Amino acid sequence: MIQYALACDKGHTFESWFQNSAAYDKQAKRKLIECPMCGSAKVEKAIMAPRLARKDKSTSITVREDMASAQADATTPDSSPVAMISPQEHEFRKKLKELRDHLTANADNVGKKFPEEARKMHYGETEHRSIYGEATAQDAKALHEEGIEFQPLPVLPDERN
Ligand SMILES: [Zn+2]
């Protein structure tokens, strides 16, 4: 943590703590630092004689972390987990959708006959092809026990019922 003496454009001076100087620079650039006296976002480092950090009455403020991290980009090390995960989740979801689209475009939908069709293929009664459909948990267990390999069709988060 680092403490800076800051001043707004109206000449109010106050002090604020930051994780590091880069965090200050980022927050200052995004105008996330406000003067606690007038609310002005035009805040700069004040030129002051250095003094010992102490717990001050009302002149110290901390910039709202949630605001800062919500706008932080995923590559900055001091981002919150939410900001870092969101783009990845988005990417993951896109991949899931691609996989699902690919599967459903290139496979036959056999619906509830999936266990039956899967068995037929497994035991050589019909030609091997890509199929998808529905299987109950019981069916799935039985198929696995018979050594029939299949994968659950990816379900996108907002498609569940
Ligand atoms: Zn001010």
Side-chain angles (χ1 to χ4, degrees):
M1 295 290 281
I2 186 166
Q3 189 184 39
Y4 282 132
L6 303 170
C8 79
D9 58 342
K10 304 229 167 48
H12 304 126
T13 57
F14 57 100
E15 290 164 350
S16 187
W17 288 94
F18 299 90
Q19 251 173 329
N20 47 48
S21 63
Y24 165 79
D25 287 341
K26 202 174 68 193
Q27 291 174 12
K29 214 170 122 192
R30 292 179 182 178
K31 306 219 179 302
L32 295 175
I33 307 166
E34 285 183 359
C35 170
M37 280 156 267
C38 68
S40 169
K42 288 179 186 163
V43 166
E44 284 178 353
K45 274 187 226 176
I47 297 158
M48 277 181 146
R51 54 176 168 152
L52 292 173
R54 60 193 164 88
K55 288 253 186 273
D56 222 325
K57 296 143 249 161
S58 59
T59 50
S60 273
I61 58 152
T62 8
V63 171
R64 281 172 47 199
E65 273 302 313
D66 52 349
M67 224 169 115
S69 38
Q71 296 185 17
D73 50 272
T75 52
T76 50
D78 59 345
S79 301
S80 75
V82 172
M84 292 181 74
I85 284 168
S86 291
Q88 292 170 348
E89 272 183 347
H90 183 77
E91 190 56 26
F92 181 62
R93 200 177 175 285
K94 213 176 98 192
K95 289 259 157 57
L96 264 186
K97 193 175 182 317
E98 278 169 15
L99 174 62
R100 195 191 153 93
D101 288 349
H102 181 82
L103 280 172
T104 52
N106 294 285
D108 287 342
N109 184 359
V110 295
K112 291 193 191 325
K113 282 162 75 183
F114 180 86
E116 191 187 320
E117 292 296 318
R119 276 197 185 88
K120 276 189 199 164
M121 280 197 297
H122 183 69
Y123 295 110
E125 290 169 39
T126 59
E127 220 166 292
H128 232 282
R129 70 191 199 279
S130 291
I131 58 167
Y132 68 100
E134 295 164 39
T136 64
Q138 258 180 330
D139 286 333
K141 191 168 175 283
L143 290 171
H144 273 302
E145 279 167 6
E146 289 171 54
I148 301 169
E149 285 186 21
F150 59 93
Q151 301 296 325
L153 194 63
V155 175
L156 297 175
D158 60 2
E159 288 182 357
R160 286 198 189 107
N161 298 323

